[in-house]
Each structure stands twice: as structure tokens, then as C-alpha cells.
Amino acid sequence: MSQRVLTTESGAPVADNQNSATAGAGGPLLLQDQHLLEKLARFNRERIPERVVHARGSGAYGYFEVTDDVTGFTRADFLSEVGRRTETFIRFSTVADSLGGADAVRDPRGFALKFYTNEGNYDLVGNNTPVFFIKDPVKFPDFIHSQKRDPFTGRQEPDNVWDFWANSPEATHQITWLMGDRGIPASYRHMNGFGSHTYQWTNAEGEAFFVKYHFKTNQGVRSLSAEQAAELVGQDASSHQTDLLQAIERGVNPSWTLYVQVMPAAEAADYRFNPFDVTKVWPHGDYPLQRVGRLVLDRNPDNVFAEVEQAAFSPNNFVPGIGPSPDKMLQGRLFAYADAQRYRLGINHTQLPVNAPKAATVDNYGRDGLHATRYGSRQDKNYEPNSYAGPAQTGLPLASPLAVSGWTGTHEAPLHTKDDDFFQAGELYRLMSDEEKGRLIANIAGGLSQVTRDDVIEKNLAHFHAADAEYGKRVEEAVRALRED
């Protein structure tokens, strides 16, 4: 095999990559050393802005295979036939920490999936929990600020974390999830994934359904205690990345079975609580899980930066037969995710290989901008409508229209008969075994007892009391015991 020739970015061969050019032996460096200047300038620009949330992540390629007929609910082509396979890319992530954080920490996990369908890319952006901390996107920046490093101390502060939660009672359900046994997954392979939000499916007859996605791990759910996680972080801060990489390299391909809950659109208005509230789950007794297919991961990325760090997901990347719901948090994400990627990666980030459609052709009038690689032919026009046979609209909406009414303004969501912030947290607590309850109480008390303000502690305790009398009493006693030590 012949030796490959090292070149500059312009393709010129490099004569010496060990020594910089100088004015004589031992003299000062020369500005004319193009290779040195190019290497240093490029090195200074290697890092792009990291994600504000979900900064630390891992990814893999795979496929989604349809196993059950769901054409009665959606006309999405990639779901139209049993046995149909669609190439996918998934990115797992923690939420609050920076790119340099550890994997095995108590934090929700991102579960972002890109389907490369023949009708365009479909992005399903969820978490490993079926609920979230807040229900309105206007609170999201404040929530994340409370969980991130304090601007003065430079570290995550229990006072900030619990103060926000004390003043956001809707977080009680997600806190109960996060502080419970599933708060620290043993690996990305051993956790479930959820769309979390409510989405809309529309069938060929135009009937609309609201759906929730559930990806059940076929490896079984495995989680870590706080002590096990601390030990693992000390051994390998990249434990989840290591596990995923090595499993796929060994041919032990992780998989998940996708189920959906399906609610006829007409039932949403009179359901006993707001079905578009992301702080709540739909009971399976009301809307049972219906199997759709299986997700299999079978290929690692060749380059983590190019394919994982530059992977861009947006929940507004829908395909015909799938669309949004009135879920306010989802509505906010329809803007925020795509905007974040335009900031991080540029207006043409969708042309990067990991983000570009693989089974569909992009044909529109978007032009120019930083790093543009798609131009079209010399006859193509850059406006529409035109008389030159350019791409034209179909007139077929992706999903069914949603009826709206009322006055514009800032409104709280209309109350349903069972709309409160605590009852599902209480139901979750009562489902736990005695051992699970004990660990949940210990995890909550361990953080809440570090809060310095009594009023913040009392507000949080009131939330747990409202969820379940025993739950609140045990948290209160555990916090008091830790503060008296």
C-alpha cells in the first residue's frame, strides 16, 4: 500500500509537519508558513457552540421495522406496510450537564430519533420519561437556568433547583419519576423511550387521532442506585457511550418495541384531564398500548463530531399523516429546536450528511447562506410561483386541521374535571414497592435537605403532601432528620 500524502486544506502537499518555518535555525517564526497558520487557525475553530441542553450525547444508526398494521390510524408511508424498514439515526443524551459531564447521573435522558423516510425526514424528539417538569414553554429558559450552574458559584445549587420546583407545582409528577429507581439508567440500552408529548396521526380517510409513543427496551429496564452511579462515574465518566459503542461493535444490537396509545380526536375535549398536558400520562386502562414495530440499532457512527455532535433534530420535521397537537410545550419546541440548530450549525445544517434526507429528494427555493452545497442547475429559478416547471405545492396538508376559537392573549389551559398537579404523582408513588418508596424518599430528602431557605422547603413539602399523605409525611420526616444531623 502506497503512503498517502499529507496536504493542506487547499490540497497542496505538506513538506514538513514536524517543524515550523523560522528565520534561520532557532530564529523567530515566519508569517509565510501557511501550513502552521492554517493548522492553528483551524484548531482554534474546531469547537462549535454546544447545545444548551442535551449537550452530552451518544448516537447510532439502525432501522425501524413495522410489525403491526396501523394504517387505520395514519397514512404515513413508512408505517404503511408490515415488514417495511426505514433507516434511522438516534441520539441519546443527558439534559442538564455540559458536554464534559458524566453519563451516569440522575437526569432525564433525551431519546431523539430521525427516520429517513421516502417522504422526507421525520424527527421524533422525546425523553426516557413519559412526562416533563413544566407545561408551558415560556417557563423553559427559567427552568433550565435553575438546573444549570449558578452564575456566581459556578455550580449546580440545590437552592436554585428546589426553589424553581417549589414555585412550579406541576413538576411534582416528574420529580417523583426522576428521584425514583429509574432516575439513573444503567445504560442507554436499558431504558425506555417516550415521545412524551401528544402528537396527531391522520389516516387516508382524513380521520384524526391523538397518539403517545412508547419505546419499550427489549434488553429490560436496568437502573443504578446513587451509590452505584457514583462508583461508575469514577471508573468511566463515559460509561453509557462505552456501553453503546461496545455492544454494537460486538454485534449485540439493542432494540426497542414501539407501542402507541391512540385517542380519537373527538374524545380529547371531554377527557377527565387535559390530554395535551405533558406533565401527565394517559392511563393504559383508558388507552391501551398498541404495538407498531421495532427499532434496532446496528451501526456506530464513523465520526462522533460529524454525526452525533452535528446531528440536528426538530419536532416540526413531520411527514404526511403525522402532525402536532395543541400541547403547549410541543408547540414551543416546534420553533425552539430548529432555531437552536440554525444558531449552532448554520442555516444549511440540513445539508450535512447525518441530517440530509436519504430516501427523499430535497427540491425547494432555499438558496445560499454559509456552507451551502445544494444549488440546482443553471435553469432553476429561485422564486415561486414561476413558469419554468419548478417545484410546486401539493395542496395536501400533512395532518388534519385543528379547530381553534376564543380571544388572543395569555391563557391558562382550560380546566378538565381531573386537572391538578398532584394526583398522578400520588398514583405513581402508590404503585411503588416499599423498597422503591424508601429509595425515592432518600433521594428527594438528600437534595431538599441541602436547601438553605425554610420557606422553599415548606413549599416543596406541601406538594408531596398534596400528592399523597404518606408520601409527604415521609419526605418531611427524612428532611428533618438530615437537617438535624
Side-chain angles (χ1 to χ4, degrees):
M1 181 183 296
S2 60
Q3 180 68 50
R4 293 160 57 191
V5 174
L6 177 66
T7 74
T8 64
E9 294 293 330
S10 62
V14 173
D16 191 341
N17 193 43
Q18 314 304 316
N19 303 286
S20 302
T22 61
L29 299 182
L30 297 177
L31 188 62
Q32 71 184 38
D33 189 344
Q34 184 262 353
H35 177 53
L36 169 65
L37 301 186
E38 182 179 82
K39 283 188 71 175
L40 294 179
R42 183 178 182 86
F43 179 77
N44 287 345
R45 293 162 176 80
E46 280 185 358
R47 294 294 171 262
I48 60 176
E50 74 170 40
R51 290 168 168 87
V52 177
V53 289
H54 298 281
R56 184 177 180 84
S58 301
Y61 292 94
Y63 62 87
F64 179 79
E65 181 178 15
V66 179
T67 58
D68 294 78
D69 183 7
V70 291
T71 55
F73 305 121
T74 179
R75 62 185 176 92
D77 187 69
F78 79 102
L79 299 175
S80 64
E81 182 182 358
V82 172
R84 181 78 168 269
R85 287 190 176 186
T86 299
E87 184 179 355
T88 61
F89 180 80
I90 194 167
R91 186 177 186 271
F92 304 106
S93 57
T94 54
V95 176
D97 214 340
S98 63
L99 189 59
D103 286 343
V105 294
R106 189 173 298 278
D107 198 18
R109 300 297 189 276
F111 195 98
L113 188 60
K114 188 181 296 290
F115 299 84
Y116 299 103
T117 89
N118 62 355
E119 295 181 303
N121 289 352
Y122 171 45
D123 289 354
L124 180 58
V125 186
N127 286 322
N128 72 327
T129 61
V131 293
F132 196 59
F133 296 93
I134 54 175
K135 62 182 74 173
D136 194 302
V138 76
K139 298 181 70 171
F140 186 76
D142 299 294
F143 164 60
I144 295 301
H145 287 168
S146 75
Q147 309 298 301
K148 288 280 194 177
R149 298 177 187 273
D150 182 87
F152 172 66
T153 66
R155 65 178 191 175
Q156 189 184 55
E157 291 292 347
D159 277 354
N160 300 353
V161 171
W162 288 95
D163 182 41
F164 182 88
W165 289 343
N167 292 286
S168 303
E170 69 267 31
T172 308
H173 192 188
Q174 174 72 315
I175 293 169
T176 307
W177 270 91
L178 180 61
M179 297 299 175
D181 279 0
R182 296 191 179 188
I184 313 178
S187 78
Y188 290 131
R189 296 184 297 128
H190 294 94
M191 68 182 193
N192 295 330
F194 301 88
S196 300
H197 298 289
T198 302
Y199 294 89
Q200 185 200 124
W201 277 7
T202 307
N203 65 17
E205 289 71 42
E207 296 176 288
F209 304 86
F210 293 120
V211 301
K212 282 185 175 290
Y213 294 91
H214 301 250
F215 289 86
K216 300 291 188 179
T217 175
N218 294 324
Q219 292 70 239
V221 172
R222 286 179 50 206
S223 303
L224 303 173
S225 67
E227 295 75 19
Q228 290 171 324
E231 182 179 355
L232 183 57
V233 167
Q235 295 170 351
D236 180 7
S238 302
S239 57
H240 288 24
Q241 165 68 13
T242 301
D243 176 86
L244 182 66
L245 175 74
Q246 292 182 351
I248 295 175
E249 288 297 290
R250 295 196 312 268
V252 182
N253 297 330
S255 66
W256 289 257
T257 300
L258 171 61
Y259 299 87
V260 292
Q261 291 178 282
V262 181
M263 174 189 290
E267 297 181 12
D270 296 323
Y271 193 54
R272 64 182 184 275
F273 59 83
N274 180 1
F276 310 118
D277 179 350
V278 74
T279 69
K280 295 181 175 63
V281 298
W282 298 354
H284 292 181
D286 292 349
Y287 298 101
L289 295 179
Q290 303 189 45
R291 193 175 66 177
V292 180
R294 68 187 185 116
L295 170 68
V296 179
L297 304 182
D298 59 6
R299 180 165 67 89
N300 284 310
D302 293 326
N303 186 283
V304 172
F305 176 81
E307 297 164 272
V308 180
E309 184 64 17
Q310 292 193 127
F313 300 85
S314 176
N316 64 6
N317 287 339
F318 293 114
V319 293
I322 304 178
S325 78
D327 180 335
K328 293 177 78 172
M329 277 297 296
L330 172 61
Q331 292 283 325
R333 296 175 83 196
L334 298 182
F335 162 76
Y337 272 60
D339 185 61
Q341 304 305 341
R342 294 184 189 106
Y343 161 68
R344 293 183 62 245
L345 303 172
I347 190 62
N348 290 306
H349 67 272
T350 55
Q351 298 178 29
L352 294 168
V354 69
N355 300 322
K358 299 181 184 297
T361 299
V362 176
D363 196 0
N364 59 42
Y365 298 93
R367 290 293 184 271
D368 306 337
L370 194 65
H371 301 150
T373 61
R374 189 176 66 241
Y375 295 104
S377 69
R378 67 175 66 177
Q379 289 84 17
D380 284 346
K381 302 302 179 183
N382 64 343
Y383 58 88
E384 198 278 336
N386 63 58
S387 304
Y388 294 86
Q393 65 195 39
T394 66
L396 300 173
L398 300 185
S400 295
L402 298 172
V404 296
S405 63
W407 298 96
T408 61
T410 56
H411 303 285
E412 293 185 7
L415 290 178
H416 294 231
T417 57
K418 196 62 176 173
D419 264 332
D420 73 65
D421 295 322
F422 309 111
F423 80 95
Q424 287 202 347
E427 289 180 339
L428 178 59
Y429 175 79
R430 290 185 288 275
L431 284 173
M432 296 179 179
S433 67
D434 289 342
E435 293 78 13
E436 289 174 317
K437 289 178 180 177
R439 290 188 289 268
L440 169 67
I441 301 302
N443 290 332
I444 293 175
L448 189 54
S449 63
Q450 299 179 54
V451 174
T452 59
R453 287 184 51 163
D454 291 343
D455 62 324
V456 171
I457 293 176
E458 291 302 320
K459 285 181 181 179
N460 279 286
L461 291 176
H463 298 167
F464 299 123
H465 279 290
D468 181 272
E470 178 194 286
Y471 188 9
K473 179 182 178 184
R474 292 184 63 182
V475 172
E476 183 172 0
E477 291 173 347
V479 170
R480 184 186 304 116
L482 288 173
R483 297 189 84 200
E484 290 175 350
D485 282 350

